[in-house]
Amino acid sequence: MAQIMLWEAIQRAHDEEMSRDPMVICMGEDIGVAGGTYKATKGLYEKYGPLRVMDTPISEGGFTGLGIGASFLGVRPIIEIMSVNFAWLAMDQMFNSAAKIRYMSGGQLTAPCVFRSAGGAAHQLGAQHSARMEKVFMGIAGLRVVTPSNPRQAYGLLKSAIRCDDPVFINEHELMYNMKGEVPDGEYFHPLEGSDVARAGTDVTLFGYNISVHWCLKAAEILDKQYGISAEVVDLYSLSPLDRDGIRKSVSKTHRVVIAEEDEAPVGVGAEVIATINEECFFELDAAPVRVHSALVPQPYNHTLEKAAIPDHEDVVKAVLKLFGKA
Amino acid sequence: MKIDDKKRVLREMVLHRRFEERCYQAYIERKIGGFLHLYPGQEACCNGVMEAARPGHDYVITGYRDHVHAIKCGADPKEVMAELYGKETGSSKGRGGSMHIFDAAHHFMGGYALVGGPFPLAAGIAKAIQLKGGDEIAICFLGDAANNQGVFHETLNMAALWKLPVLFVCENNLYGIGTSIERSTAVVHQHKRVAAYNIPADECDGQDIDIVYEHARKAVDHVRAGNGPFFLELMTYRYRGHSMSDSRGYRSREEEEVWKQRDPILMLRDRLITAGAMTMADYETIEKETDAYIENEVTKFAEESPEPRVEDLEKYVLADRESQQPWLTGKAA
Ligand SMILES: Cc1ncc(C[n+]2csc(CCOP(=O)(O)OP(=O)(O)O)c2C)c(N)n1
Ligand SMILES: [Mg+2]
C-alpha cells in the first residue's frame, strides 16, 4: 500500500475512471491547463484532452447545469466547484435539477453526476471564503453527500460516486489536500453509505467527519494517556444518508456521546446525530449528548477571532471531561 | 486633465503601487493572511475613471482586488493597511480582511469575494440613488472573467430596463486566475457583449491614464445626465500573479515584458517630464516620500494598532438588541 497525498488520491480516481469509461468527463474552473487549484486534476488535460477535461468559464450555475444535462444522456461528469462558497451559485441546478430529476420524471431520467468541492475554514480566508455547508447539502432528498477524512476515503468514495447512478456531492476540506495516508494499490471502492470506526473505545463515542475526525483522534489520544478514558471515534463520512446502524451500535457500547463539527450550530450534523440517537437508542444514553461546533458568526478575518470561532481537539477533550464530571 | 491634476494623480498612483508592494512584503512576513490580490499594472483604470467621476461622492463597488479603489475613494491608507493586519482600527474593524475593504463614509461600498456578486448590488445602489433623487452615480469595477456569470446579463437587462445610473467598468486584464480570456470567453472584447441590452459601450487602452480619463468622462457624463447605464472596457494587465500563490505558468515572461513597457505610472511620469512639468529628480522625491509615508505612518499604524477583543466575536452579526427591542418583542406600540 502506497502512502500518497489526498489530492493524489483524488487525481488517481479521476484518472482510472476516465481511462476506463470514455463517458467520464471532468469540468471546472482552472482544472485543465492549470491542473486544478488543489492539483486534484493534474495531468488529466494532457492525457484526455479538452473535450473531456473542460476548463469552464466562471459560470457555476451554467456549467453545473450543463454537466447535469449531459448526465441525463449517460455522460458521467465530475464537476469541480473550486470552493464550496461558490456552490451557492450552483445549488439551484444541483437541488432543483440533479436531485429531483429521477423522482419528478417517474424514474425515466437520472443525473449520475459527481460534484466535488473544497469547503471548510482554511487560514484567514474571511467571511465569503470559509463556508462549511454540509448542513445545506445533507437535507436534500435525492442527493448523496459524502466527505472524506483521509486519502483512502477520498480515492474510494470518488470511485464509487462516479459509478453510482445517483448524484453525489463530495465535500473535501481545503486544509487536507496535502495530508498523506495509505491507499490500496489495487482498485478500491469505498462504500458510499456507512461509517468507519477510526478508533475503537468503550467509554465515550466521538462522532466526527472530515477534518473533525482528526480533532477526535487527537482528543482520544489525550483522553487515553492523560485521563484513562477510552474514546471510540466514529467517522461519519456519509452525511446523507447518515449511518443509523453505526450510530446505534457505538452509542449502545459507550453510552456517552460528543459530536464534533467544524460547521456552525444550530442546524447541522450534530443536531441530526442527536435526533438519530433519540430515535434509535435513547435509553442507551447515560448522559445528554454534547455538540462541539463553530460559533454562529460569519468567519472573521482576524486570526485571533477566527481561532475563537472554530473548535479544535482541545474543545473535544474539554467536552468529554465535562461529561465525566472532571472539568 | 490639467497639469496640476496630473501631477497629483501621479503621486497617488505611486502611493497605490508602493502600498501594494508593501502588502506583498507584509504577506511574506506573515503579517497579512488569507488571500491577497494586488493591483500593480492596472492603476490607470481606477485612477482614470475616478478622476472623471467624483471620489467620495459617487458610489464605488468592486471585487476582491479592492485596496486601491478604496483608497482612491478616500479611505485612509492607514486604515486599509490595518484591515490587512486584521486590526480593530482597520476599515472593517479587522473582520473583513483584504477582500472586504469597506468605507461607507467615502461611499466605497466594498470589496466582495465572489466573482460577479457586485453586479446586481451596483444596480441596486443605482436604484437607491434614483429613488432618492441625488446626482451621484454607481460605479462597478470588475474583471473580464466576471462577465461570464449569469448575473452579469441579468443585471445589464435590469439596469437598461430601469435606466439606472450605473457605470460598469470592465478592467480587462486578459486573465481570470490562470485561464486566459480566449480560453474562457467566446468574445474577447467585452463591450460587444452589452450591445444586446441597448447599453452604450466603449473600449480603450487602460494603461494610458489620459486616454482612460477622456473615455471615462464621456461615460460618467452619460450616466450622470440620466441616460441610464454605460459600459466601459479598459484593456489592461496585472503584473503580479492573481493572488499570492500564483507562479504565472500560464503566460510568458515576454508577454509580461510587453505590458511592462506600457507601465501606467512610467508613461505618465515621462509625459510630465517631457512637457517640462517635472524632472526625474522630482519623481524620485515622490517615490522616496511615498515610501517614507508608507513605512513611518501607514505600516507603523497597522503594526501598532490593537487586535479586536475575543469578547467581541459576535459583535456585528446582528443589530444590537437594545435598538431592536420593539421589533424583537412585538411591543412596538
Ligand atoms: C463565484 C466565484 N467563482 C470562482 C471564484 C474564484 N475566482 C476568484 S477570482 C477569479 C478570476 C476572476 O477574474 P476576473 O473577473 O477577470 O478578475 P481579475 O482577478 O482578473 O481582476 C476566480 C475564478 C470566485 N471568487 N467566485
Ligand atoms: Mg481578469
Side-chain angles (χ1 to χ4, degrees):
Chain A
M1 255 199 270
Q3 286 263 350
I4 60 174
M5 284 194 251
L6 193 139
W7 70 262
E8 292 174 303
I10 297 171
Q11 195 276 352
R12 182 178 145 201
H14 274 88
D15 194 8
E16 286 176 9
E17 291 302 302
M18 290 185 75
S19 76
R20 176 191 59 88
D21 179 356
M23 283 299 112
V24 177
I25 66 170
C26 57
M27 51 201 293
E29 293 158 20
D30 276 17
I31 67 154
V33 171
T37 306
Y38 304 101
K39 297 193 277 194
T41 50
K42 196 176 165 197
L44 301 178
Y45 181 86
E46 292 75 12
K47 192 159 171 190
Y48 300 103
L51 266 186
R52 293 180 63 202
V53 181
M54 298 166 71
D55 273 319
T56 64
I58 312 175
S59 313
E60 287 83 1
F63 70 73
T64 300
L66 190 149
I68 294 167
S71 77
F72 292 171
L73 270 63
V75 174
R76 298 209 167 226
I78 308 161
I79 303 169
E80 175 177 304
I81 312 271
M82 186 185 275
S83 148
V84 84
N85 300 268
F86 318 153
W88 291 114
L89 293 157
M91 280 184 193
D92 167 47
Q93 292 292 352
M94 287 184 193
F95 297 172
N96 278 319
S97 304
K100 294 176 181 168
I101 193 71
R102 179 188 294 274
Y103 194 84
M104 68 190 183
S105 70
Q108 296 176 75
L109 295 184
T110 58
C113 9
V114 179
F115 310 108
R116 294 180 39 246
S117 193
H123 297 301
Q124 286 191 272
L125 299 189
Q128 294 186 329
H129 270 61
S130 306
R132 288 131 284 162
M133 295 176 5
E134 301 82 73
K135 62 177 162 216
V136 181
F137 291 98
M138 67 189 280
I140 304 296
L143 184 69
R144 295 184 174 279
V145 182
V146 295
T147 184
S149 67
N150 56 52
R152 174 190 167 91
Q153 285 182 357
Y155 166 78
L157 286 170
L158 178 52
K159 294 272 292 184
S160 298
I162 294 168
R163 305 283 184 105
C164 178
D165 288 338
D166 297 322
V168 181
F169 179 78
I170 305 183
N171 182 64
E172 295 158 8
H173 198 290
E174 275 203 46
L175 292 180
M176 287 164 57
Y177 286 102
N178 289 335
M179 161 190 280
K180 270 199 158 175
E182 287 193 340
V183 176
D185 296 327
E187 198 165 41
Y188 165 71
F189 295 88
H190 200 84
L192 287 176
E193 296 188 350
S195 58
D196 286 343
V197 176
R199 174 183 174 124
T202 51
D203 301 337
V204 57
T205 301
L206 311 179
F207 287 106
Y209 61 94
N210 191 284
I211 201 165
S212 66
V213 170
H214 300 281
W215 308 340
C216 293
L217 287 171
K218 213 162 163 186
E221 192 74 34
I222 294 171
L223 289 166
D224 179 30
K225 291 236 168 80
Q226 297 181 21
Y227 301 95
I229 295 172
S230 162
E232 174 148 302
V233 177
V234 175
D235 179 344
L236 297 170
Y237 65 79
S238 171
L239 295 181
S240 183
L242 272 178
D243 182 14
R244 303 179 77 90
D245 287 346
I247 292 172
R248 182 178 6 86
K249 265 185 213 141
S250 187
V251 175
S252 305
K253 185 166 134 192
T254 64
H255 314 292
R256 284 186 168 82
V257 172
V258 171
I259 307 123
E261 55 191 321
E262 200 194 33
D263 210 338
E264 307 100 350
V267 184
V269 178
E272 201 50 41
V273 169
I274 293 174
T276 305
I277 293 170
N278 279 352
E279 291 161 4
E280 290 284 332
C281 53
F282 179 76
F283 293 105
E284 292 288 350
L285 287 173
D286 282 350
V290 178
R291 288 185 291 182
V292 172
H293 56 81
S294 287
L296 189 62
V297 294
Q299 195 65 13
Y301 165 73
N302 172 275
H303 65 98
T304 311
L305 292 186
E306 173 163 82
K307 209 161 168 279
I310 301 175
D312 60 13
H313 67 277
E314 287 174 15
D315 296 291
V316 179
V317 171
K318 270 185 223 149
V320 172
L321 293 181
K322 214 164 151 196
L323 263 187
F324 283 84
K326 295 193 180 182
Chain B
M1 265 192 283
K2 297 198 199 78
I3 281 286
D4 280 348
D5 285 330
K6 286 192 195 187
K7 282 165 77 172
R8 172 181 50 78
V9 175
L10 177 66
R11 184 178 276 274
E12 286 183 46
M13 291 208 290
V14 170
L15 170 69
H16 299 156
R17 175 76 55 94
R18 299 298 209 172
F19 182 93
E20 295 289 78
E21 297 299 344
R22 188 64 185 81
C23 293
Y24 183 92
Q25 198 186 320
Y27 190 91
I28 306 270
E29 294 164 3
R30 294 179 164 270
K31 299 279 175 61
I32 297 176
F35 286 141
L36 180 68
H37 308 82
L38 302 175
Y39 200 57
Q42 303 185 200
E43 292 90 348
C45 298
C46 173
N47 279 279
V49 171
M50 292 314 292
E51 285 300 311
R54 293 169 60 187
H57 180 74
D58 291 330
Y59 289 87
V60 171
I61 191 167
T62 188
Y64 38 81
R65 207 179 296 287
D66 58 351
H67 316 157
V68 170
H69 298 80
I71 293 171
K72 186 70 186 180
C73 287
D76 186 336
K78 293 208 269 295
E79 290 176 13
V80 178
M81 189 63 90
E83 185 60 32
L84 302 179
Y85 274 63
K87 298 297 179 74
E88 183 70 27
T89 55
S91 354
S92 306
K93 307 273 197 299
R95 269 65 167 186
S98 165
M99 301 195 287
H100 308 301
I101 308 290
F102 287 82
D103 190 339
H106 290 99
H107 292 187
F108 180 68
M109 305 303 281
Y112 298 79
L114 271 82
V115 171
F119 281 128
L121 302 178
I125 289 164
K127 169 71 189 176
I129 294 169
Q130 191 184 55
L131 267 181
K132 292 180 167 188
D135 72 341
E136 306 94 335
I137 66 170
I139 307 178
C140 177
F141 288 91
L142 283 177
D144 44 293
N147 299 345
N148 290 326
Q149 287 288 13
V151 78
F152 169 68
H153 295 275
E154 296 171 25
T155 303
L156 290 178
N157 181 49
M158 291 186 285
L161 182 68
W162 297 321
K163 278 198 156 203
L164 300 176
V166 51
L167 169 59
F168 299 101
V169 179
C170 174
E171 300 191 39
N172 187 345
N173 61 11
L174 307 175
Y175 292 87
I177 309 189
T179 301
S180 69
I181 190 163
E182 297 86 4
R183 298 191 60 253
S184 71
T185 311
V187 183
V188 171
H189 295 280
Q190 299 301 300
H191 67 280
K192 292 188 184 163
R193 302 177 78 179
V194 306
Y197 301 98
N198 269 336
I199 295 176
D202 192 5
E203 180 205 275
C204 71
D205 177 9
Q207 299 305 93
D208 184 329
I209 189 157
D210 287 327
I211 295 178
V212 175
Y213 176 77
E214 284 313 317
H215 288 255
R217 236 188 30 187
K218 286 181 207 140
V220 166
D221 289 351
H222 173 95
V223 176
R224 204 180 308 279
N227 299 314
F230 194 98
F231 184 93
L232 178 62
E233 177 179 12
L234 307 172
M235 301 308 293
T236 186
Y237 204 75
R238 68 168 150 72
Y239 292 162
R240 291 201 170 276
H242 169 74
S243 64
M244 297 297 285
S245 58
D246 173 358
S247 51
R248 316 190 318 284
Y250 47 84
R251 66 189 199 191
S252 70
R253 300 296 86 88
E254 292 74 43
E255 177 185 296
E256 292 179 351
E257 210 31 60
V258 170
W259 282 91
K260 284 189 177 163
Q261 292 306 314
R262 307 202 60 252
D263 186 306
I265 296 177
L266 301 187
M267 283 200 296
L268 177 57
R269 176 197 69 184
D270 294 346
R271 198 167 291 159
L272 287 170
I273 292 176
T274 310
M278 63 184 280
T279 64
M280 192 57 105
D282 293 337
Y283 177 76
E284 280 159 12
T285 307
I286 292 177
E287 280 194 329
K288 261 191 220 113
E289 286 172 359
T290 303
D291 284 346
Y293 166 67
I294 289 175
E295 214 44 55
N296 305 335
E297 295 191 44
V298 174
T299 310
K300 184 162 185 280
F301 177 78
E303 298 259 358
E304 290 174 0
S305 287
E307 303 252 340
R309 301 181 316 161
V310 173
E311 306 90 88
D312 289 337
L313 177 62
E314 292 177 8
K315 205 172 164 186
Y316 308 120
V317 175
L318 290 170
D320 102 81
R321 298 190 63 79
E322 282 309 298
S323 69
Q324 304 301 308
Q325 276 309 313
W327 330 113
L328 303 183
T329 59
K331 291 180 191 142

